[in-house]
C-alpha cells in the first residue's frame, strides 16, 4: 500500500531525528564532554537496531555474549545515609539531581615529573610548610567548590555509607569489604593529591604515607579529633583492641609479626588480600573483606579516633574519617602495600575479571572537571604519574614460631579431646552443631573442623572460613582466630597458632548480607605440622565486649586455587 505525502514526510522526519539523536549521543561519548547515562542510552538504542538485548535485572548484554556485572554509581540517586545507626547524615553534593557533564579519565603526560610519595616520618620542614599551605587553601574554598576540603571529606561519606544507588538498580553501592576497596581509595587520594598540588602551583607535590608497618613510622601525627592517649610518641597498635601497657619494643614486635600474617602467609590468594567478588545488582553483593582491610586498616581507624565521641569520630567512622588529614596518609600507605603485595607475587595475582576492570566511579580533578574512571585505569601507579619511596620491610622476615613444639601440642590436643575437656572456653560444640544453630560469640569458642585432607594441588591454598557472621549494634567488633591453640596465655600474632583477625567497623553502607571471614592457613598448618591431620581445632577468641552482639553461622575448611 502506497504511503501518502504526509506519511512519507512523517517517516522521513522520524528517521532523521533518530539518526541525529544517535549521532549526538555518539559525539557525547567521544573524548569530549559527556553526560552520565548517555552511554547507556546509546547502547539501548543500538541494542534495538543491532540485536543487543537487556539481560536479567536490566543488565545490557553485548551481542548476547556476556551480561556485564560491573559496578558503578547512579550519580542522581544520592540520598541521606546513616553514619551511625543513630545518626542520619546528608553528604550529597549540590546539584546532584541533574546529570552533570563529565570526561573519561586520561593518563597524565608521561613526560611530566613523577610524584614521589615519601614516608611521613622522613619529610622535612619545608615539605610540612608546603603541605600545610595547600591544606589551608583547600579548607578556605567554599563548599560549592568540589575541590574544597569539606567536599573532599564528603567523598568518603558518599561512597562508604550507601548514599548512592548503583546504576540500573536500587541496590546501594559501597566500596568496603569487597574487591573495590583498594582501587576506589587509590583514585580518591590520587585526585586529592593533584588538587593540593594545583592549589600551590606545584605539579610535583605528593602526599606523604604513614608507614605504620615499620618501626620508624609507627607514631601518628596531630589532629584535634583523636584519642589523646594515642598522640605522638605513642606507638601505633596495628591489631588494636584496647590500650595495653606494652613497651614500644614489644608493640613493634607484635606489629611486625602481624604484618607478616596479613601480607604474606594469610594473603597468598587474590581474594584473601583484595576482598570478595562484588558484582552489580542486589544478587551480586558480597561481604567479605581482605586481610589488610580488616587490620591494620579497620584497627587503626579505631585506634586513631577520639574516645570522647560516640563512634570514635573522626577516624573511627567511615562517614567522618576523611575529615582527619591522617586519613589520606593512612590510605596512601595501604595503597603502597597493595603495590608491595603485587610485587611480592610478581603481579601474578592481578584480577582479570572484566566486571572488576570495568567498574567505574566519578571524581572531580584539579581543573574542576568531573572525571569518570574505570578500575582498569588504576592498576599501574607509574602510568598514573606517582610512585613510592622505598623503605625497609622487616616484617617480611618475621615468620612466627609455634608456641609449643608441634608434636607435643598435637599430643596435648588428643589428650584433651579424649578426656572431653573444654578447649579454653565455656562452650565446646562440634562444627556440625555450630553450622546448624549458629552461636553467639559471647565467650571463647573452640570447634573441631574437618581438615578435608587430600593431596592439594601446588597452587591451592587451605582456607578457614568463618561464615555467616552477623554483627548487631554500632560498636567496634574484634575477634581473633587461632588454630590448635594450647595455652590461653600465649595468644598473640607472635605465635604461629594465630591465623588471623576479624576487625569490624559497623556501617560502611553495606547491605544486610552476613559476613564471611576467609583466612589462608596453608603455611600455618605446615608450621604446626597439622597440614595432613584429618581435623584441626579452631578457636574464635573475642577481644572486644561488643562480641556479645555477634553470632557466627559456622566454621569450615575450603581450598582456593
Amino acid at each position: 500500500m502506497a504511503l501518502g505525502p504526509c506519511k512519507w514526510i512523517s517517516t522521513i522526519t522520524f528517521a532523521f531525528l533518530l539518526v541525529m539523536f544517535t549521532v549526538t549521543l555518539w559525539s557525547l561519548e567521544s573524548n569530549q564532554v559527556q553526560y552520565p547515562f548517555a552511554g547507556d542510552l546509546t547502547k539501548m538504542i543500538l541494542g534495538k537496531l543491532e540485536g543487543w538485548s537487556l539481560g536479567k535485572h536490566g543488565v545490557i548484554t553485548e551481542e548476547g555474549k556476556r551480561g556485564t556485572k560491573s559496578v558503578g554509581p547512579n550519580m542522581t540517586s544520592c540520598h541521606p545515609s546513616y553514619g551511625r545507626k543513630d545518626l542520619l547524615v546528608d553528604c550529597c553534593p549540590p546539584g546532584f539531581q541533574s546529570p552533570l557533564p563529565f570526561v573519561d579519565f586520561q593518563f597524565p603526560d608521561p613526560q611530566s615529573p613523577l610524584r614521589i610519595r615519601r614516608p611521613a616520618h622522613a619529610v622535612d620542614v619545608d615539605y610540612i610548610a608546603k603541605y600545610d599551605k595547600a591544606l589551608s587553601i583547600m579548607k578556605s574554598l567554599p563548599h560549592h567548590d568540589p575541590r574544597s576540603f569539606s567536599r573532599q571529606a564528603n567523598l568518603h561519606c558518599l561512597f562508604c555509607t550507601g548514599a548512592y544507588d548503583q546504576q540500573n538498580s536500587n541496590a546501594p553501592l559501597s566500596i568496603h569489604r569487597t574487591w573495590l576497596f583498594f582501587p576506589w581509595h587509590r583514585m580518591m587520594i590520587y585526585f586529592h593529591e593533584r588538587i593540593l598540588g594545583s592549589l600551590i602551583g606545584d605539579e610535583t607535590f605528593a602526599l606523604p604515607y604513614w608507614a605504620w608497618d615499620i618501626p620508624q613510622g609507627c607514631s601518628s601525627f596531630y589532629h584535634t579529633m583523636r584519642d589523646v592517649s594515642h598522640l605522638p610518641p605513642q606507638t601505633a597498635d596495628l591489631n588494636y583492641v584496647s590500650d595495653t601497657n606494652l613497651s614500644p619494643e614489644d608493640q613493634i614486635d607484635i606489629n611486625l609479626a602481624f604484618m607478616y600474617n596479613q601480607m604474606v602467609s594469610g594473603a597468598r590468594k587474590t581474594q584473601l588480600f583484595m576482598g570478595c567478588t562484588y558484582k552489580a545488582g542486589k544478587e551480586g553483593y558480597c561481604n567479605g573483606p581482605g586481610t589488610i582491610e580488616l587490620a591494620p586498616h579497620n584497627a587503626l581507624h579505631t585506634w586513631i579516633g577520639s574516645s570522647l565521641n560516640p563512634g570514635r569520630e573522626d577516624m573511627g567512622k567511615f562517614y567522618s574519617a576523611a575529615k582527619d588529614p591522617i586519613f589520606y596518609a593512612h590510605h596512601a600507605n595501604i595503597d603502597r602495600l597493595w603495590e608491595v603485595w603485587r610485587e611480592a607475587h610478581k603481579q601474578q595475582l592481578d584480577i582479570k575479571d572484566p566486571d572488576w576492570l570495568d567498574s567505574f566511579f566519578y571524581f572531580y580533578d584539579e581543573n574542576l572537571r568531573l572525571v569518570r574512571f574505570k578500575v582498569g585505569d588504576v592498576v599501574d601507579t607509574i602510568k598514573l604519574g606517582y610512585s613510592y619511596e622505598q623503605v625497609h620491610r622487616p616484617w617480611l622476615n618475621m615468620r612466627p614460631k609455634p608456641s609449643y613444639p608441634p608434636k607435643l601440642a598435637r599430643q596435648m590436643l588428643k589428650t584433651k579431646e579424649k578426656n572431653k575437656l573444654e578447649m579454653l572456653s565455656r562452650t565446646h560444640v562440634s562444627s556440625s552443631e555450630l553450622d546448624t544453630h549458629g552461636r553467639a560469640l559471647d565467650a571463647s569458642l573452640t570447634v573441631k573442623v574437618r581438615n578435608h585432607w587430600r593431596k592439594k594441588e601446588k597452587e591451592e591454598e587451605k582456607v578457614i572460613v568463618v561464615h555467616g557472621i552477623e554483627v548487631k549494634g554500632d560498636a567496634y567488633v574484634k575477634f581473633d582466630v587461632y588454630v590448635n591453640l594450647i595455652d590461653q596465655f600465649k595468644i598473640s600474632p607472635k605465635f604461629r597458632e594465630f591465623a588471623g583477625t576479624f576487625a569490624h567497623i559497623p556501617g560502611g553502607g553495606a547491605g544486610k548480607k552476613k559476613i564471611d571471614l576467609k583466612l589462608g592457613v596453608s603455611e600455618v598448618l605446615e608450621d604446626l605440622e597439622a597440614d595432613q591431620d584429618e581435623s584441626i581445632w579452631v578457636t574464635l577468641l573475642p577481644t572486644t565486649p561488643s562480641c556479645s552482639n555477634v553470632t557466627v553461622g559456622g566454621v569450615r575448611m575450603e581450598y582456593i586455587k
Side-chain angles (χ1 to χ4, degrees):
M1 182 177 65
L3 295 174
C6 291
K7 290 187 176 180
W8 271 111
I9 292 171
S10 298
T11 302
I12 293 172
T13 302
F14 176 76
F16 175 77
L17 290 173
L18 180 60
V19 171
M20 290 301 296
F21 184 56
T22 304
V23 170
T24 301
L25 290 175
W26 174 84
S27 68
L28 289 174
E29 285 195 292
S30 68
N31 290 329
Q32 302 170 19
V33 171
Q34 304 171 54
Y35 286 79
F37 321 126
D40 293 333
L41 188 55
T42 303
K43 288 180 180 179
M44 291 173 67
I45 293 170
L46 293 175
K48 298 298 183 182
L49 298 177
E50 299 180 9
W52 293 16
S53 63
L54 288 177
K56 190 177 181 181
H57 307 300
V59 176
I60 295 170
T61 305
E62 299 183 13
E63 300 173 354
K65 291 182 179 178
R66 185 185 70 86
T68 177
K69 298 290 287 183
S70 55
V71 175
N74 177 349
M75 296 291 282
T76 62
S77 69
C78 194
H79 51 77
S81 53
Y82 280 93
R84 301 192 307 264
K85 289 190 175 182
D86 62 341
L87 179 64
L88 191 67
V89 295
D90 187 352
C91 302
C92 296
F96 71 87
Q97 298 88 346
S98 301
L100 298 172
F102 69 91
V103 296
D104 278 320
F105 177 75
Q106 299 290 323
F107 291 106
D109 184 348
Q111 301 303 316
S112 59
L114 195 66
R115 299 172 189 260
I116 306 297
R117 295 178 182 173
R118 303 185 63 206
H121 66 270
V123 299
D124 56 25
V125 174
D126 290 339
Y127 174 86
I128 293 172
K130 183 187 298 184
Y131 190 10
D132 185 61
K133 179 181 178 181
L135 275 178
S136 296
I137 296 172
M138 180 178 275
K139 290 181 178 182
S140 71
L141 296 175
H143 184 72
H144 65 76
D145 189 327
R147 301 171 303 166
S148 66
F149 190 81
S150 61
R151 289 283 294 280
Q152 292 285 295
N154 275 355
L155 284 170
H156 199 251
C157 176
L158 285 168
F159 285 96
C160 301
T161 63
Y164 283 126
D165 292 339
Q166 298 178 31
Q167 275 200 15
N168 305 315
S169 172
N170 60 359
L173 187 150
S174 179
I175 51 80
H176 280 276
R177 301 196 281 272
T178 78
W179 65 1
L180 295 178
F181 169 76
F182 283 98
W184 185 90
H185 286 89
R186 169 167 287 182
M187 288 314 285
M188 180 192 179
I189 63 174
Y190 169 85
F191 286 112
H192 183 78
E193 175 179 78
R194 294 181 68 89
I195 291 170
L196 286 169
S198 71
L199 294 176
I200 55 175
D202 184 355
E203 64 176 339
T204 67
F205 177 83
L207 286 166
Y209 65 91
W210 178 26
W212 32 253
D213 57 302
I214 64 174
Q216 303 96 311
C218 279
S219 293
S220 65
F221 29 96
Y222 184 73
H223 177 65
T224 53
M225 290 293 187
R226 299 266 179 86
D227 190 319
V228 295
S229 66
H230 297 163
L231 294 176
Q234 184 68 25
T235 302
D237 184 351
L238 307 192
N239 195 28
Y240 177 65
V241 178
S242 59
D243 290 335
T244 64
N245 294 319
L246 293 176
S247 67
E249 293 76 18
D250 287 342
Q251 183 65 68
I252 287 172
D253 284 346
I254 291 175
N255 285 349
L256 296 178
F258 183 70
M259 283 299 299
Y260 179 87
N261 185 84
Q262 302 301 88
M263 286 289 292
V264 183
S265 65
R268 303 206 295 190
K269 293 297 174 183
T270 303
Q271 183 184 153
L272 300 176
F273 182 79
M274 297 290 291
C276 63
T277 302
Y278 182 22
K279 305 278 186 170
K282 290 182 178 179
E283 293 182 0
Y285 173 69
C286 71
N287 202 349
T291 52
I292 289 296
E293 182 180 0
L294 285 163
H297 171 260
N298 286 354
L300 283 177
H301 266 277
T302 306
W303 183 82
I304 296 167
S306 173
S307 58
L308 301 178
N309 294 328
R312 295 187 69 89
E313 288 93 345
D314 285 335
M315 276 286 280
K317 283 296 179 186
F318 293 133
Y319 82 93
S320 57
K323 295 178 182 179
D324 187 338
I326 203 174
F327 170 90
Y328 304 92
H330 178 41
H331 273 279
N333 198 45
I334 288 169
D335 185 68
R336 177 184 70 91
L337 291 174
W338 182 13
E339 288 302 291
V340 171
W341 178 81
R342 292 180 70 235
E343 176 189 327
H345 295 283
K346 299 179 174 60
Q347 284 75 49
Q348 294 177 7
L349 299 183
D350 283 344
I351 300 173
K352 303 297 193 301
D353 190 329
D355 291 331
W356 184 73
L357 295 169
D358 291 340
S359 290
F360 60 93
F361 299 96
Y362 300 87
F363 288 99
Y364 279 96
D365 70 4
E366 65 273 19
N367 298 313
L368 290 173
R369 298 178 303 178
L370 186 63
V371 179
R372 178 179 66 180
F373 79 91
K374 293 183 178 181
V375 168
D377 295 329
V378 307
V379 294
D380 188 335
T381 63
I382 300 300
K383 288 181 69 175
L384 291 172
Y386 74 91
S387 184
Y388 288 97
E389 184 177 289
Q390 296 286 342
V391 294
H392 181 50
R393 306 163 190 168
W395 44 263
L396 279 171
N397 300 312
M398 290 295 290
R399 185 167 179 165
K401 304 290 185 183
S403 63
Y404 279 81
K407 291 182 180 179
L408 175 61
R410 291 169 69 201
Q411 186 59 45
M412 294 172 69
L413 286 167
K414 288 180 180 179
T415 301
K416 286 190 174 184
E417 182 179 1
K418 183 178 179 179
N419 295 333
K420 298 181 180 180
L421 296 176
E422 280 192 288
M423 292 287 297
L424 312 178
S425 72
R426 296 199 302 264
T427 308
H428 181 198
V429 299
S430 72
S431 58
S432 60
E433 290 174 332
L434 190 65
D435 285 335
T436 302
H437 301 110
R439 296 299 295 257
L441 199 60
D442 55 356
S444 176
L445 179 66
T446 301
V447 296
K448 186 178 181 180
V449 179
R450 289 193 61 190
N451 197 6
H452 298 296
W453 183 86
R454 59 179 170 82
K455 188 176 181 180
K456 70 183 182 73
E457 298 177 14
K458 183 178 180 181
E459 300 301 323
E460 285 184 325
E461 175 75 8
K462 284 186 176 181
V463 176
I464 290 174
V465 182
V466 185
H467 61 86
I469 302 170
E470 185 173 9
V471 179
K472 299 179 180 179
D474 200 44
Y476 174 59
V477 170
K478 190 172 185 306
F479 63 83
D480 290 338
V481 181
Y482 289 84
V483 175
N484 288 356
L485 182 64
I486 295 296
D487 190 341
Q488 61 182 321
F489 296 106
K490 292 187 176 181
I491 46 175
S492 166
K494 293 173 63 174
F495 298 114
R496 185 76 278 193
E497 289 84 357
F498 178 80
T501 191
F502 178 81
H504 180 75
I505 299 174
K512 295 182 179 180
K513 188 173 183 178
K514 296 178 182 179
I515 306 169
D516 287 343
L517 172 65
K518 295 188 176 184
L519 304 172
V521 293
S522 286
E523 188 179 286
V524 170
L525 295 179
E526 290 167 7
D527 289 354
L528 295 177
E529 299 180 9
D531 54 321
Q532 297 186 25
D533 290 354
E534 291 184 358
S535 61
I536 58 173
W537 291 96
V538 177
T539 298
L540 310 184
L541 184 67
T543 55
T544 59
S546 55
C547 282
S548 60
N549 296 322
V550 175
T551 58
V552 177
V555 182
R556 64 174 181 263
M557 182 76 75
E558 288 183 356
Y559 286 82
I560 292 182
K561 292 184 178 181

